[in-house]
PDB file of all heavy atoms in Angstrom:
ATOM      1  N   ARG W 124      77.014  97.288 104.185  1.00 93.00           N
ATOM      2  CA  ARG W 124      76.084  96.616 105.115  1.00 93.00           C
ATOM      3  C   ARG W 124      76.334  97.178 106.576  1.00 93.00           C
ATOM      4  O   ARG W 124      75.335  97.434 107.263  1.00 93.00           O
ATOM      5  CB  ARG W 124      76.504  95.090 105.029  1.00 93.00           C
ATOM      6  CG  ARG W 124      75.443  94.218 105.561  1.00 93.00           C
ATOM      7  CD  ARG W 124      75.905  92.763 105.298  1.00 93.00           C
ATOM      8  NE  ARG W 124      75.039  91.918 105.993  1.00 93.00           N
ATOM      9  CZ  ARG W 124      73.800  91.581 105.542  1.00 93.00           C
ATOM     10  NH1 ARG W 124      73.411  91.884 104.351  1.00 93.00           N
ATOM     11  NH2 ARG W 124      73.075  90.690 106.238  1.00 93.00           N
ATOM     12  N   ARG W 128      74.111  99.557 109.283  1.00 90.00           N
ATOM     13  CA  ARG W 128      73.892  99.252 110.669  1.00 90.00           C
ATOM     14  C   ARG W 128      74.228 100.429 111.581  1.00 90.00           C
ATOM     15  O   ARG W 128      73.534 100.647 112.568  1.00 90.00           O
ATOM     16  CB  ARG W 128      74.660  97.976 111.113  1.00 90.00           C
ATOM     17  CG  ARG W 128      74.204  96.787 110.493  1.00 90.00           C
ATOM     18  CD  ARG W 128      74.573  95.526 111.341  1.00 90.00           C
ATOM     19  NE  ARG W 128      73.906  94.402 110.869  1.00 90.00           N
ATOM     20  CZ  ARG W 128      74.370  93.464 110.119  1.00 90.00           C
ATOM     21  NH1 ARG W 128      75.724  93.511 109.831  1.00 90.00           N
ATOM     22  NH2 ARG W 128      73.762  92.405 109.683  1.00 90.00           N
ATOM     23  N   ARG W 130      74.544 103.468 110.640  1.00 94.00           N
ATOM     24  CA  ARG W 130      73.887 104.778 110.166  1.00 94.00           C
ATOM     25  C   ARG W 130      74.990 105.872 110.137  1.00 94.00           C
ATOM     26  O   ARG W 130      74.697 107.006 110.497  1.00 94.00           O
ATOM     27  CB  ARG W 130      72.726 105.193 111.045  1.00 94.00           C
ATOM     28  CG  ARG W 130      71.668 104.072 111.039  1.00 94.00           C
ATOM     29  CD  ARG W 130      70.295 104.574 111.439  1.00 94.00           C
ATOM     30  NE  ARG W 130      69.338 103.551 110.991  1.00 94.00           N
ATOM     31  CZ  ARG W 130      68.484 103.784 110.003  1.00 94.00           C
ATOM     32  NH1 ARG W 130      68.373 104.927 109.462  1.00 94.00           N
ATOM     33  NH2 ARG W 130      67.735 102.781 109.635  1.00 94.00           N
ATOM     34  N   GLU W 169      69.883 106.373  97.756  1.00 96.00           N
ATOM     35  CA  GLU W 169      69.396 105.252  98.624  1.00 96.00           C
ATOM     36  C   GLU W 169      69.801 105.494 100.098  1.00 96.00           C
ATOM     37  O   GLU W 169      68.986 105.230 100.951  1.00 96.00           O
ATOM     38  CB  GLU W 169      70.001 103.975  98.158  1.00 96.00           C
ATOM     39  CG  GLU W 169      69.385 103.364  96.891  1.00 96.00           C
ATOM     40  CD  GLU W 169      69.823 101.966  96.623  1.00 96.00           C
ATOM     41  OE1 GLU W 169      70.273 101.303  97.593  1.00 96.00           O
ATOM     42  OE2 GLU W 169      69.712 101.533  95.420  1.00 96.00           O
ATOM     43  N   ARG W 173      70.346 107.815 105.795  1.00 93.00           N
ATOM     44  CA  ARG W 173      70.912 106.890 106.875  1.00 93.00           C
ATOM     45  C   ARG W 173      72.280 107.367 107.324  1.00 93.00           C
ATOM     46  O   ARG W 173      73.103 106.570 107.882  1.00 93.00           O
ATOM     47  CB  ARG W 173      71.076 105.441 106.384  1.00 93.00           C
ATOM     48  CG  ARG W 173      69.773 104.620 106.569  1.00 93.00           C
ATOM     49  CD  ARG W 173      68.839 104.740 105.516  1.00 93.00           C
ATOM     50  NE  ARG W 173      67.769 103.692 105.775  1.00 93.00           N
ATOM     51  CZ  ARG W 173      66.602 103.759 105.010  1.00 93.00           C
ATOM     52  NH1 ARG W 173      66.288 104.668 104.170  1.00 93.00           N
ATOM     53  NH2 ARG W 173      65.736 102.782 105.243  1.00 93.00           N
TER      54      ARG W 173
ATOM     55  N   LEU T  38      64.210 100.027 101.189  1.00 91.00           N
ATOM     56  CA  LEU T  38      65.425  99.941 101.977  1.00 91.00           C
ATOM     57  C   LEU T  38      65.156  99.568 103.418  1.00 91.00           C
ATOM     58  O   LEU T  38      65.961  98.885 104.001  1.00 91.00           O
ATOM     59  CB  LEU T  38      66.237 101.204 101.791  1.00 91.00           C
ATOM     60  CG  LEU T  38      67.684 101.221 102.150  1.00 91.00           C
ATOM     61  CD1 LEU T  38      68.474 100.167 101.444  1.00 91.00           C
ATOM     62  CD2 LEU T  38      68.352 102.552 102.043  1.00 91.00           C
ATOM     63  N   ASP T  39      64.006 100.082 103.897  1.00 93.00           N
ATOM     64  CA  ASP T  39      63.644  99.691 105.295  1.00 93.00           C
ATOM     65  C   ASP T  39      63.503  98.199 105.333  1.00 93.00           C
ATOM     66  O   ASP T  39      63.907  97.568 106.415  1.00 93.00           O
ATOM     67  CB  ASP T  39      62.302 100.344 105.698  1.00 93.00           C
ATOM     68  CG  ASP T  39      62.427 101.813 106.021  1.00 93.00           C
ATOM     69  OD1 ASP T  39      63.399 102.187 106.568  1.00 93.00           O
ATOM     70  OD2 ASP T  39      61.546 102.601 105.602  1.00 93.00           O
ATOM     71  N   GLU T  42      66.780  96.584 105.749  1.00 92.00           N
ATOM     72  CA  GLU T  42      67.338  96.832 107.084  1.00 92.00           C
ATOM     73  C   GLU T  42      66.622  95.905 108.122  1.00 92.00           C
ATOM     74  O   GLU T  42      67.263  95.429 108.998  1.00 92.00           O
ATOM     75  CB  GLU T  42      67.157  98.311 107.460  1.00 92.00           C
ATOM     76  CG  GLU T  42      68.180  99.186 106.738  1.00 92.00           C
ATOM     77  CD  GLU T  42      68.203 100.609 107.285  1.00 92.00           C
ATOM     78  OE1 GLU T  42      67.091 101.249 107.329  1.00 92.00           O
ATOM     79  OE2 GLU T  42      69.247 101.023 107.704  1.00 92.00           O
ATOM     80  N   GLU T  48      68.325  89.078 111.080  1.00 93.00           N
ATOM     81  CA  GLU T  48      69.480  88.147 111.125  1.00 93.00           C
ATOM     82  C   GLU T  48      70.303  88.349 112.420  1.00 93.00           C
ATOM     83  O   GLU T  48      70.784  87.334 112.944  1.00 93.00           O
ATOM     84  CB  GLU T  48      70.363  88.495 109.844  1.00 93.00           C
ATOM     85  CG  GLU T  48      69.814  88.020 108.539  1.00 93.00           C
ATOM     86  CD  GLU T  48      70.659  88.415 107.357  1.00 93.00           C
ATOM     87  OE1 GLU T  48      71.472  89.468 107.510  1.00 93.00           O
ATOM     88  OE2 GLU T  48      70.574  87.803 106.402  1.00 93.00           O
ATOM     89  N   GLU T  49      70.428  89.631 112.772  1.00 90.00           N
ATOM     90  CA  GLU T  49      71.253  89.779 113.967  1.00 90.00           C
ATOM     91  C   GLU T  49      70.546  89.289 115.252  1.00 90.00           C
ATOM     92  O   GLU T  49      71.223  88.633 116.117  1.00 90.00           O
ATOM     93  CB  GLU T  49      71.435  91.310 114.137  1.00 90.00           C
ATOM     94  CG  GLU T  49      72.872  91.761 113.899  1.00 90.00           C
ATOM     95  CD  GLU T  49      72.997  93.321 113.778  1.00 90.00           C
ATOM     96  OE1 GLU T  49      72.541  93.959 114.720  1.00 90.00           O
ATOM     97  OE2 GLU T  49      73.562  93.660 112.777  1.00 90.00           O
TER      98      GLU T  49
END
Side-chain angles (χ1 to χ4, degrees):
Chain W
R124 199 175 170 84
R128 286 206 170 100
R130 303 201 159 245
E169 286 188 21
R173 269 88 172 166
Chain T
L38 196 57
D39 286 322
E42 287 190 302
E48 286 177 336
E49 251 168 53

